[in-house]
Amino acid sequence: MNLNFEVGKYELHLRAIDTLLLPKYKGSTFRGGFGSTFKRLTCCQPQGGCTKCLVAGSCPYHYVFETSPSSDAVVFAKYKDAPRPFIIEPPLTEKEEFRPGEDLTLGLILVGKAVAYLPYFIVVFQALGNEGIGKHRGRFEVTGVSLPHQNGRIIYNCEGQIDSLGSSHSLRD
């Protein structure tokens, strides 16, 4: 069995624009807002399902949220859905209030083809920040994206300057 695939690990640096009122465990807040914003920004048939969509094979939303195992899959053959190719690692602090100007950092792990979709993840988090999250829908901005395994090298900054998004690693069996 060949287990070659890519993994990218990133840190998204966020800065509160408004006061952010978040729960102690922030994962579900970021994950829920991210999912609905991702669909709104990338899905061309939000009222229909992916199964009838003509562009599902090349759609970022379909790949990230609706992927089924391929017909030749061995490991996930008996499952209807494949595991989602991303992990959002929320800030571990139990702090619930972030004042304007305060920073937060989210971890983001992308697996397989999702590594190539990093720009979509950045755009979606920027839109989520503009819309606001948590109690009272506090807004934030994405100030940068860095590579924690490369001493925090910044690959994207808030001015839209992109260094290199090719930060993946091959994992082999």
Side-chain angles (χ1 to χ4, degrees):
M1 179 169 36
N2 185 357
L3 295 178
N4 291 332
F5 60 94
E6 291 185 288
V7 174
K9 182 160 177 58
Y10 312 93
E11 288 183 339
L12 279 72
H13 304 279
L14 315 177
R15 181 166 294 138
I17 295 172
D18 303 320
T19 298
L20 298 177
L21 298 175
L22 302 172
K24 285 184 182 182
Y25 177 72
K26 296 152 190 60
S28 60
T29 300
F30 281 104
R31 172 63 170 79
F34 171 78
S36 59
T37 303
F38 200 101
K39 184 169 188 167
R40 184 177 52 77
L41 291 179
T42 65
C43 179
C44 65
Q45 292 190 6
Q47 303 307 320
C50 290
T51 56
K52 296 180 182 179
C53 181
L54 295 173
V55 298
S58 61
C59 174
Y61 178 80
H62 176 73
Y63 179 75
V64 171
F65 286 98
E66 303 282 336
T67 299
S68 298
S70 64
S71 59
D72 63 345
V74 176
V75 177
F76 296 106
K78 65 182 179 178
Y79 298 102
K80 178 183 167 221
D81 294 322
R84 304 299 167 242
F86 72 96
I87 298 169
I88 296 172
E89 299 175 315
L92 295 179
T93 180
E94 291 187 4
K95 180 178 176 175
E96 296 181 41
E97 183 175 326
F98 295 84
R99 298 275 183 198
E102 286 190 87
D103 295 327
L104 302 94
T105 300
L106 294 177
L108 177 64
I109 299 171
L110 302 179
V111 180
K113 185 176 157 184
V115 172
Y117 290 143
L118 176 61
Y120 286 98
F121 282 78
I122 295 169
V123 167
V124 169
F125 273 104
Q126 288 172 326
L128 179 59
N130 290 333
E131 295 166 9
I133 61 167
K135 193 174 183 179
H136 305 298
R137 309 294 289 174
R139 296 173 302 138
F140 63 85
E141 64 180 333
V142 177
T143 60
V145 177
S146 65
L147 303 174
H149 59 280
Q150 291 185 8
N151 296 319
R153 180 170 68 92
I154 302 293
I155 60 169
Y156 173 83
N157 64 27
C158 60
E159 285 82 37
Q161 297 172 331
I162 296 175
D163 182 1
S164 169
L165 301 181
S167 61
S168 62
H169 305 284
S170 286
L171 298 180
R172 301 180 194 279
D173 53 348

